[in-house]
Amino acid sequence: MTRHIRYAAYFCVLLLAALLVNAARVQVVQSPAYDDNPANRRATIARYGQPRGNILVGGRPVTGSRDSGEQLRYERTYVDGPLYAPVTGFASQEYGRTLLEATEDGVLSGSDPLLAPLPLLSDLTRARAAGGDVVTTLDREAQRAAYEGLAGRKGAVAAVDPSTGRVLALVSSPSYDPGELSGNGAGAARAWARLNADPDKPMLNRAVRQTYPPGSTFKVVTAAAALDAGVIRNLDARTRSPAPYRLPGTTTRLDNEGDGCRDAPLREAFQWSCNTVFAKLGVDVGVARMGATAEAFGFNDAGLRIPFAVAPSTFDTTVDKAQLALSSIGQYNTRATPLQMAMVAAAVAEGGQLRTPYLVERTTRRSGSTVAAAGPRPARQVVQPSTARKLRQLMEDVVREGTGRKAAVPGATVGGKTGTAQHGVGNSGLPYAWFVSWAQADRDMEPKVAVAVVVEDASADRGDITGGGVAAPIARAVMEAVLDP
């Protein structure tokens, strides 16, 4: 009898060992397969089982959470959704996440290990910490001024602080309400279909994901290359620039919008945006130096993130001389995002130094304690300080007595450059209106804001679309919002 009991005990131990081995196999070896199985809704239920952390602008949340009472309990809500959509993106139970809702999802959802007070215990229990908050660099008043300035017209605005790289405004128009996509019901599906079918593409972030021909605003880069290379030494010396200018190796003649551009000094050519002068300057500088200067400003950089990805602005370095002439006035293959052109203006304002732009100041726990902070951004020297000083003079002249006078701000020094970019087959498309600028209040020691505005505005009369007439007033409103104490 004792022997049978012993055999039974051995058999029970064997069964117990088999159960433990099988449990380990299921929980350790096969865990990833179960986690990724579409039928496993535990992770999804846990994600939406608690309120999501918030995205803050000016110390106030522009997001929230609503208790739906459903199995996926909490849905995302937005305050002034269309105003901040180019920054927040959307967090949808059905369609995923975009922009800050995507890049900062670990903090917002509570899954980031840094949020857990006792990480080892959290790993064992798989408990999810409360969602943390994301504090942005945005200036509330500047963001609203940009949004209201566009007034629903197709276009975008980007504004940065030249001395730090902080993104102060990021607006795309037309916009949309990301709250319409938050749930998983029929309403969200209808909104998704409507937004994707809209020919105006309201979900396209034109400030960072759309590139445009920058037109005459690119002449800031061309002037910088010419000054750095020593092709131009005196802003007031006559240039050898015929008008019209025959593109090298072709019979095509390039003209100007106005008169007085033949052999115009750089100061006058910049002030009145003479195409012939800058096209020839680009050829004189050469593709290598033009390309190097454009890339120093940030063109051809596919790795820029703020923290979500920014579409690369491009300057083609494989062009012939005729193509280089057109590229040097912001046409041909030259393309730029509004954020890139704000970076160009910021580098000029900051004495030739450029700081990488960023949008997240810090992330915090629900209690307010800091999880991670942005810290100072390193600066790189884009152009010589002497070149930057001359560029500042040129941009100030544009606002004081040139094509950008509508950007003038009382009590401040403002520099700017207008642009009217042609596009479409045979330049048949309605031109884009551009304006890039920076501003320094008389009481400040350094410029506080650099802005880029582009307006597509297909409803306007073609003759009325100029950077100075359409885009400059929007830039002025943004600059005033930042400079106003």
Side-chain angles (χ1 to χ4, degrees):
M1 179 67 70
T2 303
R3 185 181 59 197
H4 294 303
I5 294 173
R6 187 167 57 249
Y7 288 162
Y10 289 157
F11 184 66
C12 289
V13 170
L14 182 62
L15 289 177
L16 179 60
L19 287 173
L20 291 174
V21 169
N22 187 60
R25 179 182 65 84
V26 170
Q27 295 181 16
V28 178
V29 178
Q30 293 187 324
S31 175
Y34 288 121
D35 286 342
D36 297 336
N37 192 313
N40 181 11
R41 289 174 54 84
R42 289 181 179 274
T44 304
I45 293 171
R47 167 183 284 275
Y48 298 109
Q50 64 180 25
R52 192 169 172 82
N54 286 317
I55 297 171
L56 277 62
V57 176
R60 287 182 278 176
V62 297
T63 58
S65 295
R66 181 181 71 86
D67 190 346
S68 67
E70 304 289 340
Q71 188 179 51
L72 303 184
R73 183 171 174 182
Y74 287 96
E75 295 178 0
R76 195 54 147 167
T77 61
Y78 295 87
V79 179
D80 288 327
L83 174 61
Y84 295 109
V87 174
T88 63
F90 61 77
S92 170
Q93 295 178 351
E94 186 71 22
Y95 304 108
R97 294 158 295 282
T98 60
L99 303 181
L100 283 187
E101 293 279 27
T103 60
E104 304 301 318
D105 181 64
V107 171
L108 295 168
S109 67
S111 63
D112 190 324
L114 294 176
L115 294 174
L118 298 171
L120 182 59
L121 180 61
S122 298
D123 288 343
L124 292 174
T125 62
R126 295 199 174 189
R128 185 182 290 262
D133 294 336
V134 175
V135 180
T136 70
T137 60
L138 291 183
D139 181 302
R140 295 181 69 92
E141 297 306 318
Q143 183 80 359
R144 186 165 295 279
Y147 184 78
E148 293 179 352
L150 286 170
R153 293 173 293 183
K154 283 194 286 187
V157 179
V160 300
D161 182 339
S163 64
T164 63
R166 296 168 67 247
V167 176
L168 303 176
L170 204 66
V171 169
S172 178
S173 179
S175 189
Y176 71 104
D177 184 358
E180 294 182 339
L181 304 174
S182 293
N184 55 19
R190 287 193 297 269
W192 179 258
R194 184 187 77 252
L195 291 170
N196 280 284
D198 193 327
D200 288 338
K201 299 180 179 179
M203 289 197 294
L204 172 63
N205 191 336
R206 289 173 163 86
V208 296
R209 297 280 174 85
Q210 177 71 27
T211 60
Y212 301 87
S216 292
T217 60
F218 190 78
K219 291 171 184 175
V220 176
V221 179
T222 304
L227 290 166
D228 257 7
V231 174
I232 295 290
R233 298 184 184 277
N234 186 340
L235 299 182
D236 298 302
R238 306 289 292 179
T239 59
R240 296 181 179 180
S241 306
Y245 172 58
R246 184 171 61 84
L247 300 180
T250 74
T251 58
T252 302
R253 293 179 178 272
L254 181 66
D255 291 309
N256 299 292
E257 292 294 330
D259 299 325
C261 288
R262 182 185 298 274
D263 298 329
L266 185 61
R267 189 185 303 275
E268 293 181 13
F270 193 90
Q271 183 176 331
W272 299 108
S273 205
C274 294
N275 287 333
T276 52
V277 174
F278 283 91
K280 185 175 182 299
L281 273 181
V283 174
D284 292 343
V285 170
V287 68
R289 292 296 293 265
M290 280 295 302
T293 302
E295 290 177 0
F297 276 106
F299 284 80
N300 299 336
D301 180 4
L304 179 62
R305 306 182 69 86
I306 61 169
F308 45 79
V310 177
S313 299
T314 56
F315 182 84
D316 194 341
T317 57
T318 64
V319 293
D320 60 27
K321 288 186 176 181
Q323 295 163 342
L324 176 59
L326 295 176
S327 297
S328 300
I329 59 172
Q331 297 291 159
Y332 189 58
N333 284 344
T334 306
R335 307 279 298 188
T337 62
L339 179 61
Q340 172 60 67
M341 295 313 297
M343 292 166 61
V344 169
V348 173
E350 192 61 12
Q353 290 191 331
L354 178 62
R355 296 185 184 274
T356 304
Y358 66 99
L359 185 56
V360 175
E361 195 74 73
R362 65 185 183 277
T363 54
T364 69
R365 296 180 179 85
R366 183 65 58 86
S367 63
S369 61
T370 298
V371 174
R377 286 296 193 270
R380 67 176 186 268
Q381 196 70 39
V382 173
V383 295
Q384 299 173 23
S386 59
T387 294
R389 286 194 295 272
K390 291 174 181 176
L391 290 172
R392 284 182 55 138
Q393 292 177 32
L394 295 177
M395 295 181 76
E396 289 173 27
D397 289 345
V398 168
V399 175
R400 185 168 50 248
E401 52 191 22
T403 56
R405 282 174 286 186
K406 289 187 178 181
V409 176
T413 300
V414 178
K417 182 69 188 79
T418 57
T420 305
Q422 306 289 338
H423 69 103
V425 179
N427 290 335
S428 59
L430 201 67
Y432 298 136
W434 275 95
F435 193 75
V436 300
S437 60
W438 53 265
Q440 176 179 346
D442 293 343
R443 64 181 179 277
D444 293 329
M445 297 297 293
E446 59 186 8
K448 293 296 184 183
V449 59
V451 186
V453 178
V454 63
V455 181
E456 299 177 33
D457 202 352
S459 65
D461 178 73
R462 184 185 182 105
D464 291 338
I465 296 189
T466 63
V470 175
I474 301 173
R476 182 189 65 223
V478 175
M479 291 185 290
E480 287 177 331
V482 175
L483 297 178
D484 188 35

